[in-house]
Amino acid sequence: MTTCRQRFLDALHCRPTDRPPAWFMRQAGRYLPEYRELRSTQTFMETLADAERAAEITLQPIRRFGMDAAVVFSDILVPLAAMGMGLEFESGVGPVLTPPVRDMDGVRALRDFDPDVAVAHLAETLRICRRELDSDAFASHDLGGRNAGPRGLIGFCGAPFTVASYAVEGRGSRTFEHTKKMMWTEPRTFDALLSRIVDVSLPYLAMQVACGADVLQLFDSWGGALDAATYQRAVLPHLTRLVKGARDLGVPVIVYMNGGSHLLDELLASEPSALAIDWRVVPQVASAKVGPHVALQGNMDPIVLLADAAAVRSETARTLAAFEGHPGYVFNVGSGFVPATVPENVAVALETVRG
Amino acid sequence: MTTCRQRFLDALHCRPTDRPPAWFMRQAGRYLPEYRELRSTQTFMETLADAERAAEITLQPIRRFGMDAAVVFSDILVPLAAMGMGLEFESGVGPVLTPPVRDMDGVRALRDFDPDVAVAHLAETLRICRRELDSDAFASHDLGGRNAGPRGLIGFCGAPFTVASYAVEGRGSRTFEHTKKMMWTEPRTFDALLSRIVDVSLPYLAMQVACGADVLQLFDSWGGALDAATYQRAVLPHLTRLVKGARDLGVPVIVYMNGGSHLLDELLASEPSALAIDWRVVPQVASAKVGPHVALQGNMDPIVLLADAAAVRSETARTLAAFEGHPGYVFNVGSGFVPATVPENVAVALETVRG
């Protein structure tokens, strides 16, 4: 019988699978009561630093639902903190980074770090997860008779534009005013910042693989804020270096973008193992574009999981049907779960995927 | 010599023009010191109710920069307030509508209104603008020797999905959780809400044309949050009815969407006179898709106008070149001006458009 991990890796290598593997972005999160309980006594940064607890949070959705892969509980901004930026998660605001990087001096102030030392907690979290996911507990955790065995473990980092946007804005943004202004008025500074981000991301990803990650996902959550010509000129060379370096680690590399239906050609040019797309991309169009040797992941609207079971079943089935025929496919949502996600609906979606 | 208004109308009718006409979404706004001064003593709703002042705000950017068209100072949420919803603009939050529409009773509570009575202030604002824009003051306001004469006057309303999303969420949203949940679980309620919005929008637009609007723009600012199949099924019939009704008023109708590069076919199916696109759409792709009888408007990233003059010149020129050859083209940004827009850069962009 195929193990969950093998099914996940097979799909990412565009090899045949008995059914599509499935996991969900932000599957470990606030929608789960057991997550809220574990998080209630700690700040977000404290939880990240507590490897036992971060590992338990990573495993919670697997224990409850039995997805084919776990994604390590961490944050794309961890490397910026390790480079020396102040990082706090403020309630109602989200991440706040201080001081924001606004010029070449700011870029120069970002220091290298040794991931085994600076983010030792993440290394330990991954090692615990790897051990647990390979243990008998999960091998015998047989939901529906077809998803036993070890699970995949996904490590990740942010892609260059997305990480740079947080460094420059100092927080989340809808308009990326400071980031784009830097790109247009100080292109050398912008270029140097993206280079530095890739420089530190590569050993950071290598550490994650060394500690047990089977697969890496690169989140370019906000890259879709750029037009195609600008993305190609100012960002793609950096993304390509990151993807190539990550693939050289010997694991499949998934590139994800939210709102990037206009950038499929550019993302594909970075040569990922798989492209993770949102619901704005028509699956058949993506399949034709990426061809038979690049896997696809996605792309259901996560807000479907706030609706009722009938809608979840029909939208999940619609998603599966749309990707049918693509040689490598991983079921997922097109962006991360929101806190109002209904846990019972997650089970319904997974039942539908499992046929 | 072509007047500004004629140039604008010619472009929207895909007739030849001496140069592309130009205006900017949210050209009357907080980036202008004269706007901040006029707004300093009134709330947003008070200013809308003060026709003299709203008209002056509409005309401010024309006085300073001489764009080819003015867009009436109003808000897409005005009809929801006229239907009986509470509407306040809270600092740092944006619009807040009470109570949010969450079920069929909420839809039924939305009442019809007579635009000449319920929004008499907007009618008066438009009449003042029309008179001023046709007056000698503007006919002699000759910037660069080629833009004298009366200006176009743009009326507008929100498109069905966008207005519905505010009614259902009660405020702005990134995820549209309540709106999409209604769409999937209570499709009849969702459909009834969109119908009601179109019902009241048509006389609302007719009033604007009767009071002097030359052109109508329909803002589907958030429609891009839906996948294409869902938009086509649940929204397009309502948009099409609105566009058809608006065109029956005898004026060109522009349909605008932000983040809608994946919905061009659907927007085109509503048969607008012009499609307004953002920078995520490649102009040549849009041009091939819409053909020679639908005009295009857009699509520069408005954040360019926070950069320096050199960047503004080159990005404006790149935008103009990309639309060259399309029979009807109106220069604009791809989404509204942000408050940090640099007024001097607006002048540079317009100089570049004027050649």
Side-chain angles (χ1 to χ4, degrees), chain A residues 263-315:
Chain A
L263 294 178
L264 296 186
D265 288 329
E266 288 69 26
L267 296 176
L268 197 58
S270 74
E271 302 196 1
S273 316
L275 217 53
I277 57 180
D278 75 16
W279 59 96
R280 298 173 187 88
V281 181
V282 177
Q284 292 89 342
V285 171
S287 177
K289 199 178 272 282
V290 307
H293 304 301
V294 176
L296 291 170
Q297 177 177 284
N299 73 342
M300 192 167 78
D301 190 331
I303 309 305
V304 169
L305 298 166
L306 277 60
D308 55 21
V312 173
R313 254 182 232 109
S314 77
E315 287 294 312

Side-chain angles (χ1 to χ4, degrees), chain B residues 1 4 18 22 32 69 133 144 163 184 211 270-271 275 290 326 354:
Chain B
M1 193 166 73
C4 292
D18 55 348
L32 288 177
L133 288 167
V163 176
W184 280 310
C211 293
S270 74
E271 302 195 2
L275 215 52
V290 306
H326 192 75
R354 287 173 191 140

Side-chain angles (χ1 to χ4, degrees), chain A residues 2-58:
Chain A
T2 310
T3 68
C4 291
R5 175 199 287 154
Q6 196 56 49
R7 179 182 294 116
F8 185 44
L9 294 174
D10 282 345
L12 292 172
H13 284 106
C14 294
R15 294 188 292 248
T17 56
D18 55 348
R19 63 152 173 90
W23 68 283
F24 301 96
M25 289 188 282
R26 229 177 285 147
Q27 65 188 17
R30 269 200 283 163
Y31 75 107
L32 288 177
E34 58 267 36
Y35 172 94
R36 295 195 297 271
E37 192 183 322
L38 274 193
R39 285 289 324 284
S40 64
T41 57
Q42 293 179 323
T43 67
F44 188 75
M45 296 301 284
E46 284 168 352
T47 306
L48 290 187
D50 181 342
E52 287 285 344
R53 199 168 291 200
E56 183 52 31
I57 287 173
T58 304

Side-chain angles (χ1 to χ4, degrees), chain A residues 172-178 180-181 184-185 222 224-230 233 259 261-262 279-282 301 303-308 311 315 318 338-340, chain B residues 172-178 180-181 184-185 222 224-230 233 259 261-262 279-282 301 303-308 311 315 318 338-340:
Chain A
S173 173
R174 278 184 180 230
T175 52
F176 305 101
E177 300 183 15
H178 296 286
K180 289 180 173 178
K181 184 178 173 182
W184 279 309
T185 56
W222 308 125
L226 296 176
D227 70 272
T230 302
R233 176 179 57 73
S261 61
H262 61 300
W279 59 96
R280 298 173 187 88
V281 181
V282 177
D301 190 331
I303 309 305
V304 169
L305 298 166
L306 277 60
D308 55 21
E315 287 294 312
R318 180 164 78 95
V338 298
Chain B
S173 173
R174 279 184 179 227
T175 51
F176 305 100
E177 300 182 16
H178 296 287
K180 289 179 173 179
K181 184 179 172 180
W184 280 310
T185 57
W222 307 126
L226 296 176
D227 70 273
T230 302
R233 175 179 58 74
S261 60
H262 61 300
W279 58 97
R280 297 174 189 88
V281 181
V282 176
D301 189 330
I303 309 304
V304 169
L305 298 166
L306 277 60
D308 54 21
E315 288 295 312
R318 179 163 79 95
V338 299

Side-chain angles (χ1 to χ4, degrees), chain B residues 23-42:
Chain B
W23 68 283
F24 301 95
M25 288 187 281
R26 227 176 289 143
Q27 65 189 13
R30 269 200 283 163
Y31 76 107
L32 288 177
E34 58 267 35
Y35 172 94
R36 294 194 296 271
E37 193 182 323
L38 274 194
R39 285 291 323 285
S40 64
T41 58
Q42 293 179 323

Side-chain angles (χ1 to χ4, degrees), chain B residues 295-333:
Chain B
L296 290 170
Q297 177 176 283
N299 73 340
M300 192 166 77
D301 189 330
I303 309 304
V304 169
L305 298 166
L306 277 60
D308 54 21
V312 174
R313 255 182 232 109
S314 76
E315 288 295 312
T316 303
R318 179 163 79 95
T319 304
L320 293 168
F323 285 99
E324 216 168 76
H326 192 75
Y329 170 58
V330 178
F331 181 82
N332 204 318
V333 279

